[in-house]
Amino acid sequence: MEEKQDKKQGTNEGEDKVCITKSVCPKYNAITDQCEIGPLTPEQRRAEAFEKRVQSALFQKNLILQGQRCNEDEFIYANKTGNYTKALPHNLLGEVNLEAYNIWITTLTTGNPEKFELIPLGGTRKLSNPQASYAYEMVGPDSNHLTIAPAPSFSSVLQASEMAEDYWMALNRDVPFVDYDTNLITKAAAEDLSKFSDFDGPKCKCKVTTETLFRGNVPGALEGPYVSQFLLKDIPFGAKTIEQKYVVPVGKIDYMTSYNEWLNIQNGQAPSSTLKLDPVPRYISNGRDLGEYVHKDSSIQAGLAACSILLGFGQGALSLSNPYLFSKTQEGFATFGSPHVLDFVTRASRMALEAAWFQKFLVHRRLRPEEFGGWVQNLKPRDARYSINPELLDSKVLEVVFEKYGTYLLPMAYPEGCPTHPAYPAGHAAHIGAEVTILKAFFNEDYIIPNPVVASADGLKLQPYLKSNLKVGEELNKLAANISLARDFAGVHWRSDGLEGMKLGEAVAIGLLQDYRNTYNEEFHGFSFTKFDGTRVII
C-alpha cells in the first residue's frame, strides 16, 4: 500500500507540474477563472475598446469638409509653366511635353497602380512616391480631409517676392548667421525685399531688416541666435552622446547655373557634377550648412534629436499637464514617459508626409523655384512670354545673380536640384511641424534652456549665448522654421511651402492627440500648447 501511495503521490506531483506549466488544470482554467484583475471583464474591455475606436472614427467622419482650393495656374497656362513638371520630357525651352503631362494627370486622376508604370519620363530619375497620396491613415485625420490655402499664383507679387528671397538666400548661403548685421549682401537683401508690395517674411516696423532676414513667422523665431538650440546642443542618445557637428559642403560652389545643365536636370537626367564636401565637420553656422542638414537627414531626425535633448533636461522640462509630474508613488513610462512621446513624434511625422503628398500631387502641383528660374532666364534674354510679375523683374537681385553667374537661373545648393515631387507644401515643413507640435504637447514651453550656445562664424566651435533666456516652446518653433527655411536656402522650396507645410503638420499632430485623448486611465486634464499662430489649444 505504501508503495502504491508513493507512486500516486509522485504522479500527482507530476500532474501538478504539467498543469501549472500548461495552464490546463481546473485551478488555472482560463475559461472558468480569469488570471487578470481590473475594473472590467475581458468582454467589457473588448466592448469599450471597440466603442472608443468607433467614437474616434465618427469624430473624424463628422468633421466638416472644407473643400480643396488651388491657385488655378494649371488651367490658366496652357503650356503648364505654372506647375511642377520635373522628370517628365521637355522641349528646348524647358516646357513640358503636353502629351506626357496629360498622361501624368490622367494617372493621378484614376489612381490605378498599373498606369503609374506607363508615365513617360524624360530621363533616369523617377517620380517620388505619388501613390502615397492615396494612403489611408487609421489614427487621426485622413490625409485627404485636411486643407491648406491655395499656393501663391504664378503672376502674383507674393510669388515674385518669394522667388527674390530664394535668389537672395542663394547669394547669402556662405554668410555666417552671426555676421548678418554687418554683411553688405545681407543688408542688400533686406533692403530689396522691403520694396516688394507683398512679402510674407517677418518685418520690423514694416521693413525687412538683417535681424528678421530669412527667419520664420512663428513665435520665438526672431529671438536669439538664428539656429535653434535643438540643432546645436549635444544629443543624449542612450549610452552615447552625439555632438552636433556635421559634414557640410565646401563654400562658394553652386550648381545648375548653366542652361544646358538646368534643362538636362528638368528632364530627369543625372547631374554632371557631384557635391564637394568639407572634410572638417562643423556646427551649423550658415545657410549652406543648414541646407545640407535637410539634404541628408531622415524625416524624423530633427524631431528625434529635439526629443532626446528635452528628455535629457529631466522632469522639470515636462509639461505641467503630465499626470505623473506631482505623483508621490508613480512615474510615467509607456504612458506619459519617454516611449510615449518618442512614438508620437515619429508616428506624427509619417502621417504628416501622407497629408503633404496628397496636397502635392492631387491638389496643387506647384512648380519648384528652379523651374521658375528657367522662366526668368527665358524671359530676360530670349523675350519669351511668361506672366512673371514686374516687381521681380525690377528687383536688384536679378542684376546681382546675372553678374555673378552669367544667367538668371536660381543657383542651387544640390547638384541634382529639387526632389521629384511638387513643391507645395514642403514635406520637411509638414513633418517637422507635426513633430514640434507633439513636443510642445509633452514638454513645458516656458522651461528655460540651460547653457544656450551659438556657433562660431566658421562653425568649428560653440560659444555661450548670454544675451537673453531661451524658452523651450520658442526654440521648438525656431527649429520648425529652421528646417522649413533650410530647404529655401538650398533653392528647392518657397517660403509659403514651409508656412503652410508647418500648419498642415500641426493639424495632423492635433488630430493624433485628439484620437488618443480619451484612451488613458490617468487623471489627465488634456494636452495644452501654443500653436504656430500664437493661439493656445487644449485637447
Side-chain angles (χ1 to χ4, degrees), residues 238-296:
K240 181 180 177 61
T241 298
I242 300 174
E243 184 181 50
Q244 290 209 65
K245 280 187 174 180
Y246 298 98
V247 175
V248 299
V250 172
K252 300 181 180 180
I253 301 177
D254 298 308
Y255 304 91
M256 291 178 58
T257 56
S258 76
Y259 192 81
N260 286 340
E261 181 74 354
W262 174 84
L263 183 58
N264 286 338
I265 288 176
Q266 296 316 299
N267 281 321
Q269 300 291 349
S272 62
S273 55
T274 57
L275 190 67
K276 293 180 172 57
L277 298 173
D278 188 333
V280 180
R282 299 172 189 268
Y283 293 103
I284 295 172
S285 64
N286 59 38
R288 192 180 297 277
D289 298 348
L290 195 58
E292 184 60 15
Y293 180 95
V294 294
H295 189 202
K296 299 292 177 61

Side-chain angles (χ1 to χ4, degrees), residues 84-87 104 125-130 353 356-357 360-361 365-368 371 418-428 487 492-493:
Y84 173 88
T85 63
K86 183 171 179 173
W104 182 49
R125 292 195 70 181
K126 302 176 183 179
L127 295 170
S128 180
N129 198 202
L353 286 174
W357 253 241
K360 283 173 177 289
F361 280 98
R365 295 178 291 283
R366 186 188 192 185
L367 81 167
R368 293 276 183 163
E371 296 173 300
C418 72
T420 52
H421 50 81
Y424 190 75
H428 271 78
R487 300 290 280 175
V492 303
H493 270 298

Side-chain angles (χ1 to χ4, degrees), residues 420-454:
T420 52
H421 50 81
Y424 190 75
H428 271 78
H431 71 64
I432 193 62
E435 293 158 15
V436 160
T437 300
I438 295 295
L439 292 173
K440 288 190 291 186
F442 278 87
F443 293 95
N444 183 356
E445 294 179 78
D446 291 325
Y447 183 81
I448 303 298
I449 295 178
N451 306 313
V453 292
V454 61

Side-chain angles (χ1 to χ4, degrees), residues 53 94 120 142-143 182 360 415 432 476:
R53 293 187 182 191
D142 181 70
S143 62
T182 58
K360 283 173 177 289
I432 193 62
L476 285 173

Side-chain angles (χ1 to χ4, degrees), residues 96-142:
V96 70
N97 178 293
L98 290 179
E99 182 179 354
Y101 189 87
N102 289 333
I103 291 172
W104 182 49
I105 295 301
T106 299
T107 302
L108 290 171
T109 302
T110 64
N112 186 333
E114 294 180 358
K115 290 187 179 295
F116 280 93
E117 299 303 315
L118 303 177
I119 296 174
L121 299 179
T124 57
R125 292 195 70 181
K126 302 176 183 179
L127 295 170
S128 180
N129 198 202
Q131 292 192 65
S133 308
Y134 311 99
Y136 289 93
E137 187 53 61
M138 303 307 292
V139 178
D142 181 70

Side-chain angles (χ1 to χ4, degrees), residues 502-516:
M502 286 165 56
K503 290 192 289 185
L504 180 64
E506 179 181 69
V508 167
I510 288 174
L512 172 68
L513 294 171
Q514 285 172 330
D515 271 8
Y516 275 95

Side-chain angles (χ1 to χ4, degrees), residues 96-270:
V96 70
N97 178 293
L98 290 179
E99 182 179 354
Y101 189 87
N102 289 333
I103 291 172
W104 182 49
I105 295 301
T106 299
T107 302
L108 290 171
T109 302
T110 64
N112 186 333
E114 294 180 358
K115 290 187 179 295
F116 280 93
E117 299 303 315
L118 303 177
I119 296 174
L121 299 179
T124 57
R125 292 195 70 181
K126 302 176 183 179
L127 295 170
S128 180
N129 198 202
Q131 292 192 65
S133 308
Y134 311 99
Y136 289 93
E137 187 53 61
M138 303 307 292
V139 178
D142 181 70
S143 62
N144 286 211
H145 293 172
L146 296 171
T147 61
I148 59 176
S153 61
F154 184 88
S155 61
S156 66
V157 178
L158 187 54
Q159 176 103 328
S161 69
E162 290 190 356
M163 188 64 191
E165 183 179 38
D166 276 6
Y167 277 124
W168 282 117
M169 291 177 104
L171 292 167
N172 281 282
R173 279 190 191 119
D174 297 307
V175 178
F177 293 125
V178 293
D179 291 344
Y180 268 30
D181 289 346
T182 58
N183 188 273
L184 293 178
I185 304 177
T186 54
K187 289 182 177 181
E191 181 181 357
D192 184 60
L193 291 174
S194 295
K195 295 177 181 177
F196 283 87
S197 59
D198 191 6
F199 175 62
D200 262 358
K203 299 177 182 179
C204 179
K205 297 180 180 179
C206 299
K207 289 187 177 294
V208 180
T209 68
T210 53
E211 289 82 12
T212 68
L213 187 67
F214 309 144
R215 293 211 180 207
N217 301 58
V218 292
L222 297 180
E223 307 300 324
Y226 185 96
V227 179
S228 171
Q229 296 299 296
F230 296 109
L231 290 174
L232 294 174
K233 294 182 77 68
D234 289 352
I235 306 168
F237 197 74
K240 181 180 177 61
T241 298
I242 300 174
E243 184 181 50
Q244 290 209 65
K245 280 187 174 180
Y246 298 98
V247 175
V248 299
V250 172
K252 300 181 180 180
I253 301 177
D254 298 308
Y255 304 91
M256 291 178 58
T257 56
S258 76
Y259 192 81
N260 286 340
E261 181 74 354
W262 174 84
L263 183 58
N264 286 338
I265 288 176
Q266 296 316 299
N267 281 321
Q269 300 291 349

